[in-house]
Amino acid sequence: MQNLTLDQAFGLAQQHHQANQLDQAEAIYRLMLQAVPEQSDALHYLGLALFQKGQHEAGLAMMRRGLALQPGSFTFAGNLGATLAQVGSWPEAIGYLETVVRLRPDFLEGQVNYASALMNLARYPEAIDRLLLIQQSAPENVSVLFQLGLAHHLLGRETVAMSYYQHLLTLDPHHADAWLKLGNALSVQGKPEEAIAAYRRAQEIRPDFPEALDFLVHERLSLCEWDGLTEQWARLLGIIESRPTSLWVRPFSLLPLPSSPEAQLLAARYWAANECGVPLKEAQHRPYMHRPRQRDRIRIGYASCDFFRHATSYLMAELLELHDRSRFEIYVYSWSRDDQSEIRQRVIEASDHFVEVKHLHYAQIAERIHADEIDLLIDLKGYTTDPRSEIFALRPAPVQAQWLGYPGTMGCSFIDYLIADPYVVPSELERFYDEKIVRLPNCYQCNDRKRPIREPGPTRAEAGLPKTGLVLCCFNQLYKILPDVFALWMRVLQALPGSVLWLLGQKSKAVQNLQREAARLGVDPARLIFANKIPLADHLARYRLADFAIDTFPYTSHTTASDALWAGCPLATCVGQTFASRVAGSVLTNAGVPELIAPSLAEYEGLILRLARDEPRRRELRQRLSATRSACPLFDAPRFTRDLESAFLRMVYPR
């Protein structure tokens, strides 16, 4: 520095900086500041170097000082906005990025960054307007097309989103991420075969693309397309078990696969670290309190996107109505669609505060929850469809738990408790859960005693069933059916002449695949009967036409199990080691029929055959289910509510 001018020193520091020699660059920037303490370039780039070295707070502070000295610098504003974006501080970042587009409206990268900030703040219509403006000067910019597709996808405009992805792929047919997103849009539109083709293309372009493999496996499961699937899911499990440093595989995708509790824990940890990395860093700088407040009523917050015609709402509607309002104040945070259904209206009316947050950014939702002074925040989604784990990562409530929606661990630090029961998470399996386990004394699943069953129910002819013969039913979603369990079912049909298997099948390709597999296994495809989705009261009524229900494995019946038992239909199941494989066992135990649980697939097959050949036994089971329905723990909603509220007290005020 002694022999260099300030400009020469800055040039040398920039050379080191551009070569990623951050220590050398930092040293020169600091020497420059010793000579001229308010040198804006040195302050800005020293801050940038410190940020790149992982010293985020110190780096951002330096960059802010530099911009304060030179407020008209679009470079300073752009860099500060971009660095803030990297740590998820989008509300602050967008102000600086807005400065960039105001100072340099012709700067394409600045315009794209600003649009990206709008996207991350869930300001999708504004982002689309900005992107369309950019597109006028850069009509074939792949990044702009991709963002436009994503924005429309997030607004539920799948057809428009697809048009952008397809246009992008004509310009860059090797854009693996665009193929993945196109597959997602096609899947949402109910075009699984086209979605599978898109996922396969993404895999061909980028063989080490676990996200594409994840979606491919799940979509193929939904179509019961099993050729070569075992090898694909083995690859997916192998990736997880190799313990990579980063992984973007949805933990939910492992639930129907023959995966171990350890693999599910690893997948959840990877997902939480990657998907929630930015909000976890941001949470360190938020002023959220971490102790429940002392007041007359504990404030409970339930958060989900399933407050419409969905199993979660059907299960917990009566619970919301029964909560003790002298001790608890109930807030419901919803980002679900409004389907104008009776069950949605019932949830709204049963809530003290029903808060719509659908179009808010996760940070804004967290701010609202914090402002409402929620004592216990409950995630009803976990890692199922449209989760908002980022809200919980910001820790807006002093105590946070997950319950009901996701059957497994979240693998994260920001969920304190998992509400379970002694059956779904026995003590010997606790090591596979990162949350503290709070066990309810009976079943962890709540139920609604007001679920209607249509009277009179359908006849066999109306339901498309043969006039005579044993009817076995499984109304689980088809992605839960694995080849070995289906083969077991086909052996059962072969052993029971005249019997039929009644499944819930709406996708024609899945129906064709199952029929073809039945024929391959020596069973007439006509013995598979497929039911359509119908209103709940009608659906429950048709259980009375089945002799008994049989279960999938390892992802067993959950709401489907309690539906069957509520309608008086016995269910035979198998139990495993994962949460998802133990739910039906818990349901049956708390309905008073634990003898319908088999500890292995071989014994499960024997259990089905014994029930099928013993009509008096089936009649006795139906009579017992009917007689004890109002008193058994599974359907005792007042008892369940008291037990859950006791658990709330233990979580909010632990001893």
Side-chain angles (χ1 to χ4, degrees), residues 317-318 321-322 346 447-453 566:
E318 189 175 12
E321 294 165 346
L322 290 172
R346 192 172 155 203
N447 272 282
D448 177 16
R449 297 169 301 173
K450 298 178 183 179
R451 277 180 292 182
I453 303 175
W566 179 250

Side-chain angles (χ1 to χ4, degrees), residues 354-598:
F354 189 87
V355 186
E356 292 278 12
V357 295
K358 184 174 183 178
H359 295 301
L360 296 181
H361 181 252
Y362 66 78
Q364 295 171 308
I365 300 172
E367 292 285 1
R368 172 60 192 264
I369 292 168
H370 176 60
D372 288 338
E373 299 185 355
I374 297 302
D375 298 307
L376 171 59
L377 181 62
I378 298 175
D379 185 357
L380 294 170
K381 287 302 303 177
Y383 294 137
T384 53
T385 304
D386 195 12
R388 298 287 175 91
S389 305
E390 301 94 333
I391 300 167
F392 296 82
L394 290 177
R395 279 243 170 230
V399 184
Q400 301 187 154
Q402 69 115 337
W403 171 60
L404 194 61
Y406 180 69
T409 182
M410 300 266 304
C412 63
S413 60
F414 49 83
I415 296 294
D416 305 300
Y417 296 99
L418 168 63
I419 300 172
D421 65 47
Y423 197 97
V424 289
V425 185
S427 57
E428 64 270 20
L429 296 176
E430 270 193 43
R431 67 187 185 277
F432 299 116
Y433 298 82
D434 278 341
E435 305 88 343
K436 295 176 185 176
I437 307 299
V438 173
R439 293 182 179 86
L440 303 184
N442 301 298
C443 186
Y444 84 103
Q445 185 193 87
C446 56
N447 272 282
D448 177 16
R449 297 169 301 173
K450 298 178 183 179
R451 277 180 292 182
I453 303 175
R454 194 188 103 194
E455 296 288 356
T459 64
R460 277 198 173 214
E462 289 169 338
L465 296 169
K467 291 181 180 180
T468 59
L470 192 79
V471 176
L472 307 178
C473 76
C474 180
F475 293 143
N476 289 349
Q477 294 186 64
L478 295 183
Y479 73 82
K480 292 185 178 184
I481 303 176
L482 296 192
D484 59 340
V485 173
F486 188 77
L488 182 157
W489 292 346
M490 295 304 99
R491 290 195 298 273
V492 166
L493 292 186
Q494 286 178 317
L496 302 170
S499 62
V500 296
L501 175 59
W502 199 10
L503 300 170
L504 192 65
Q506 301 176 74
K507 297 178 180 178
S508 59
K509 186 65 175 179
V511 169
Q512 292 168 18
N513 285 335
L514 288 173
Q515 289 172 331
R516 184 171 59 251
E517 183 67 7
R520 190 185 71 81
L521 293 170
V523 174
D524 182 355
R527 295 176 69 185
L528 302 185
I529 311 296
F530 293 92
N532 292 322
K533 192 172 183 179
I534 55 177
L536 181 63
D538 299 322
H539 170 67
L540 294 176
R542 60 187 172 189
Y543 270 109
R544 293 176 172 172
L545 296 175
D547 289 278
F548 64 99
I550 56 178
D551 209 355
T552 49
F553 184 82
Y555 201 154
T556 61
S557 301
H558 292 192
T559 308
T560 316
S562 53
D563 281 349
L565 300 179
W566 179 250
C569 179
L571 166 72
T573 193
C574 183
V575 67
Q577 297 293 296
T578 62
F579 193 126
S581 70
R582 302 183 67 82
V583 172
S586 175
V587 168
L588 288 164
T589 297
N590 286 280
V593 284
E595 64 268 35
L596 297 180
I597 307 166

